[in-house]
């Protein structure tokens, strides 16, 4: 049996999420970025894509370090969108300092490309085929809208202009969608609208040294392991403009024998999604759980290895 740590994406953020973290990781981030990162997690600051992404990176790495101080490393890591960066750090493939610089740039590029009028919307209660049919009806050069995330059999996320998303959401409700709600994401991630920012980020990655992951790194867009540094470089740089197949990623982990998933902060959205896939095993979120309990689960799962 195997274990998996997962890291959430944008939309999971909450005000104050960095306060209470170990001072040394905050100091480390302050030194690299040349700013006080505790100013990034106010409700006002979290209106910025850059601030949100940096907070998710720092919180994820900090929690993983605490968890693994007294527990064996997991067999796999995976991250949804920006969550891929703390996953790569924990897998030993990307240095934390380099991740901070890259994520700072990533957020700036995404925010600059679409400062307003665009975003993402979750549609719950319709299958993928129904949503894709609606996208085909609404999408145009003037009203761009695309599939962005496949989170579960009946939960997908779309990205595009406000007008286009509103039209798709209205039609989805008329077809019986239980929910169609705008997410706390101010850019149209995981679609072709972000190809130009992704290319710019890829240029910055050219100067970054990556290593082969020492843990299994599951790509959230490919839903399979990424092994080589060059493949990882491509995965991290371009995941902003590629569809996230989180349903496939969790299914891939389960098929590889994962029976313990722990979601790193903040929140528990990925925990809820995984329960639909994990017919057997344990799915828990770091937030709200006892640290010693999570560490014991990792030790127990590790002891079952053949």
């Amino acid at each position: 049996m195997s274990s998996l740590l997962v890291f959430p994406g944008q939309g999971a953020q909450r005000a104050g999420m960095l306060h209470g973290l170990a001072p040394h990781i905050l100091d480390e981030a302050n030194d690299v970025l040349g700013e006080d990162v505790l100013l990034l997690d106010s409700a006002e600051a979290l209106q910025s894509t850059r601030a949100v992404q940096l907070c998710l990176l720092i919180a994820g790495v900090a929690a993983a370090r605490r968890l693994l101080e007294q527990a064996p490393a997991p067999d796999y890591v995976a991250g949804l969108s920006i969550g891929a960066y703390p996953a790569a750090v924990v897998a030993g493939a990307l240095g934390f300092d380099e991740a901070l610089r890259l994520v700072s740039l990533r957020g700036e590029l995404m925010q600059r490309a679409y400062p307003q009028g665009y975003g993402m919307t979750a549609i719950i209660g319709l299958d993928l085929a129904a949503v894709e049919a609606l996208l085909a009806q609404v999408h145009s050069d003037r009203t761009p809208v695309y599939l962005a995330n496949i989170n579960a059999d009946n939960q997908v996320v779309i990205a595009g202009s406000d007008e286009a998303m509103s039209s798709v959401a209205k039609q989805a409700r008329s077809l019986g969608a239980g929910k169609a709600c705008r997410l706390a994401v101010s850019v149209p991630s995981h679609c072709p609208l972000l190809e130009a920012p992704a290319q710019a980020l890829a240029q910055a990655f050219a100067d970054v040294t990556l290593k082969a992951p020492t843990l299994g790194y599951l790509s959230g867009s490919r839903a399979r392991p990424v092994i080589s540094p060059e493949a990882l470089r491509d995965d991290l740089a371009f995941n902003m403009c590629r569809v996230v197949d989180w349903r496939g990623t969790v299914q891939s982990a389960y098929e590889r024998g994962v029976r313990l998933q722990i979601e790193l902060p903040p929140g528990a959205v990925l925990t809820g999604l995984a329960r639909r896939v994990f017919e057997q095993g344990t799915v828990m979120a770091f937030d709200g759980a006892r640290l010693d309990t999570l560490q014991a689960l990792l030790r127990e799962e590790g002891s079952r290895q053949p």
Side-chain angles (χ1 to χ4, degrees), residues 7 22 100 167 186-187 197 208 233 289 298:
F7 298 82
L100 286 164
S167 178
S186 58
V187 293
V208 174
R233 188 188 309 275
L298 277 171

Side-chain angles (χ1 to χ4, degrees), residues 10 49 53 81 106 109-121 144-149 157-162 164-165 182-198 238-243:
Q10 218 167 320
T49 298
Q53 296 190 7
S81 189
R106 185 183 192 268
L109 288 168
M110 294 171 70
Q111 188 171 297
R112 199 183 308 149
Y114 294 93
Q116 59 185 10
Y118 290 80
M120 305 182 77
T121 295
V145 64
Y146 299 87
L147 176 68
N149 295 43
V157 178
I158 61 173
S161 70
D162 291 345
M165 290 192 300
R182 177 69 180 264
L183 300 180
V185 180
S186 58
V187 293
S189 299
H190 305 300
C191 74
L193 292 172
L194 288 185
E195 284 181 2
F238 288 97
N239 76 356
M240 71 165 79
C241 66
R242 292 173 178 161
V243 173

Side-chain angles (χ1 to χ4, degrees), residues 82-241:
I82 184 61
Y85 285 77
V89 172
V90 173
L94 177 64
F96 182 49
D97 55 345
E98 293 284 18
L100 286 164
R101 296 186 187 97
L102 290 165
V103 167
S104 176
L105 175 61
R106 185 183 192 268
E108 289 173 3
L109 288 168
M110 294 171 70
Q111 188 171 297
R112 199 183 308 149
Y114 294 93
Q116 59 185 10
Y118 290 80
M120 305 182 77
T121 295
I123 298 176
I124 301 171
L126 292 184
D127 63 23
L128 178 59
V131 175
E132 288 185 320
L134 292 178
L135 293 174
Q137 293 173 28
V138 174
H139 174 80
S140 71
D141 290 342
R142 189 181 64 82
T143 55
V145 64
Y146 299 87
L147 176 68
N149 295 43
I150 305 167
N151 287 340
D153 289 338
N154 67 342
Q155 183 181 141
V156 302
V157 178
I158 61 173
S161 70
D162 291 345
E163 180 184 351
M165 290 192 300
S166 177
S167 178
V168 172
K170 182 179 179 180
Q171 293 184 51
R173 293 187 195 99
S174 73
L175 291 177
K179 198 172 184 182
C181 58
R182 177 69 180 264
L183 300 180
V185 180
S186 58
V187 293
S189 299
H190 305 300
C191 74
L193 292 172
L194 288 185
E195 284 181 2
Q199 290 286 354
L201 184 60
Q203 292 179 7
F205 258 100
D207 298 324
V208 174
T209 299
L210 293 173
K211 300 177 182 177
T214 57
L215 309 174
Y217 171 95
L218 294 174
S219 165
S221 52
R222 300 181 186 184
R224 60 182 175 83
V226 170
I227 299 171
S228 74
E230 285 311 306
L232 181 64
R233 188 188 309 275
D234 175 84
D235 191 70
L236 291 172
F238 288 97
N239 76 356
M240 71 165 79
C241 66

Side-chain angles (χ1 to χ4, degrees), residues 24-35 37 100-101:
H24 62 83
I25 196 166
L26 297 174
D27 291 341
E28 195 174 344
N30 290 342
D31 291 343
V32 172
L33 297 172
E35 61 187 286
V37 296
L100 286 164
R101 296 186 187 97

